[in-house]
Amino acid sequence: MIVGEQKPIAEIMEIIEPYKKILILGCGTCVKTCFAGGEDEVAVLASTIRLVCKKDGKEIKKITEQTVERQCENEFIQEASQNISQNEAVLSLACGAGVQAIAKRFPKAPVLPGINTTFIGIQEKHGIFTEECQGCGDCKLGRFGAICPITRCSKKLLNGPCGGSQKGKCEVNANTDCAWQLIIDRLTDLGQLNNLIDYIPPKNWQSSISGGPRTLIREDHIV
Amino acid sequence: MTNISNLQKVLKEGKFAVTAECGPPRGANTAVVNKKAGLIKGFVDAVNVTDNQTAIVRMSSIAACSHLIQAGCEPIMQMVVRDRNRIALQSDILGAWSLGIKNILCLSGDHQTFGSQPDALNVFDIDSMHLIRTVKNMRDEGKDMSGFNLDEPPRMFIGAAANPFADPFEYRVIRLAKKIDAGADFIQTQCIYNMDRFKKWIRLADDEGLTDKVHILAGVTPLKSAGMAKYMKNKVAGMDVPDSVIKRMESVPKEKASEEGIKICLETIAELREIKGVHGIHLMAIEWEEKVAEIVKNAGLMPRS
Ligand code: SF4
Ligand code: SF4
């Protein structure tokens, strides 16, 4: 899922400053799972904003609360159209794609991000999320024992660990596992360490962030 | 081959090589480079010039190498893949050759979070293994990474690093073999304080026949103080400083510590010279270049050619 974190309240207050009537729009899928932007977070944020206004002696903002299932899909966005048109701005608690999806459909509505979208990851344990994929567009997990060196090695190394790997941890942070230690351990367990003996050529980054914005077209599904 | 580097010649002749390290200044002052050149000239076969070492901005390796050549020293240009993409790296390799730089050491580089500008975007477009093969292809096939025929190929002597003290240990020899396959002609290792582990590593490499395929220069760094030893143990990525070494540094009075550090270094060198597969030493006297001559002399490694 997409992992995100709510922005600090001071920053949120700053970006909503010009507006009196706002819609806080939550998203019920990824960011709900990571406790950043579902119904509960929308409600808490709305009361926090009111409280801060009160504390600072400012006019209390009129806030509408709504959460749609997925802000990145038109079908769900439509449910919010009435609330969007009745407010001065939308404070979106979705990932960056959700924020932009709203902006695309509603050209006149100011859409503000309430979340810092951080990464594509998984919930490791309750409350702990880890980055697992950078959406590089050419997945080679099969070769690496299903552990992604592009994402999980701090140096994106494709041919084995750097000289800084120690006791299974990455040189960058003693709390981060060295991806290469994980890869080697797992391939050893699977009896597939041979995967790593051959030279793995440089990555073609065209399928990734270096090729400009990507579009996926499924002709078979276009109606 | 007239273009052969001095280091290449020494190693080819089967002599025990000595390389040192020179960190360029954090500024554009050529005098610093020239001063360091003066201190080591005649005492080493070639000198490594670091490339924004520990991710701190310094004079570019390529420029400092060029100054060293003018000062009469042979440089080994270090090149990390952290800061430049493949286009910039290849262009710098060509530029370096055009300036008379004949040795290159291909590295991945310390992560930028260790440096003075942790907020920088890193590149890591290719890895150090790719860089080794790129230089080899440029040199031997005369082609750049796109397959384009180069007008004049850079005929560089190619080096790579190995760290016998990093984990996972068992994979280190496989990785060394990969670097040799990719095109490494010589290897410089991380500084050695844990001799047992180094010996184990080189024995494994030797068993695989790797020490016949590549020249291994063993890294040594003289310790200045017990504090430095502890710092290296705890703070420097991929370093292994055993407690016995720290204790030994602590056992002498503070003002004698640097002397003790040099003693340890000389003992290490003497031991390394006896090990099969070690073809030289790489002396990293971090900001202590004035000691290089003394160490090389007292280690009995003079005269250099
Ligand atoms: S290889 Fe690419 S697509 Fe696969 S997990 Fe890594 S970044 Fe994601
Ligand atoms: S320590 Fe491991 S994960 Fe970290 S940069 Fe080096 S190889 Fe990659």
Side-chain angles (χ1 to χ4, degrees), chain A residues 114-130:
Chain A
I115 280 184
N116 290 325
T117 309
T118 38
F119 51 74
I120 305 178
I122 56 176
Q123 175 158 243
E124 199 64 56
K125 277 189 205 157
H126 204 65
I128 299 179
F129 302 87
T130 53

Side-chain angles (χ1 to χ4, degrees), chain B residues 212-279:
Chain B
D212 298 328
K213 293 187 187 160
V214 79
H215 301 289
I216 295 178
L217 309 190
V220 286
T221 291
L223 292 166
K224 283 185 196 167
S225 62
M228 174 179 173
K230 280 189 224 157
Y231 180 84
M232 287 182 126
K233 179 189 172 86
N234 299 321
K235 294 275 181 326
V236 181
M239 286 282 288
D240 181 347
V241 187
D243 290 334
S244 57
V245 172
I246 294 176
K247 276 214 192 90
R248 183 164 164 195
M249 288 301 288
E250 278 171 342
S251 72
V252 296
K254 261 207 167 81
E255 61 289 354
K256 295 257 181 207
S258 67
E259 224 171 90
E260 192 67 20
I262 290 188
K263 231 195 236 164
I264 299 177
C265 184
L266 289 170
E267 290 167 18
T268 310
I269 295 172
E271 209 173 340
L272 288 167
R273 289 177 74 179
E274 300 302 317
I275 300 173
K276 179 168 181 276
V278 175
H279 303 166

Side-chain angles (χ1 to χ4, degrees), chain A residues 152-155 157 160-162 164-165 169-171 177-180:
Chain A
R152 299 179 63 186
C153 165
S154 305
K155 298 180 187 171
L157 305 179
C162 77
S165 161
K169 297 298 174 186
C170 175
E171 71 164 42
D177 290 327
C178 166
W180 275 99

Side-chain angles (χ1 to χ4, degrees), chain A residues 52-125:
Chain A
V52 174
C53 292
K54 207 162 154 189
K55 188 179 126 252
D56 294 351
K58 288 202 178 133
E59 186 183 337
I60 295 180
K61 301 201 185 280
K62 290 207 171 55
I63 301 175
T64 312
E65 299 168 34
Q66 187 181 358
T67 298
V68 297
E69 184 62 26
R70 284 202 278 280
Q71 269 185 51
C72 54
E73 281 182 51
N74 257 343
E75 192 187 333
F76 299 103
I77 292 174
Q78 283 316 320
E79 294 167 16
S81 61
Q82 205 179 350
N83 277 334
I84 291 171
S85 60
Q86 284 168 3
N87 279 281
E88 291 170 21
V90 182
L91 176 62
S92 163
L93 295 193
C95 72
V99 176
Q100 296 187 68
I102 302 283
K104 253 187 203 172
R105 310 301 173 241
F106 303 94
K108 296 226 165 65
V111 191
L112 312 166
I115 280 184
N116 290 325
T117 309
T118 38
F119 51 74
I120 305 178
I122 56 176
Q123 175 158 243
E124 199 64 56
K125 277 189 205 157

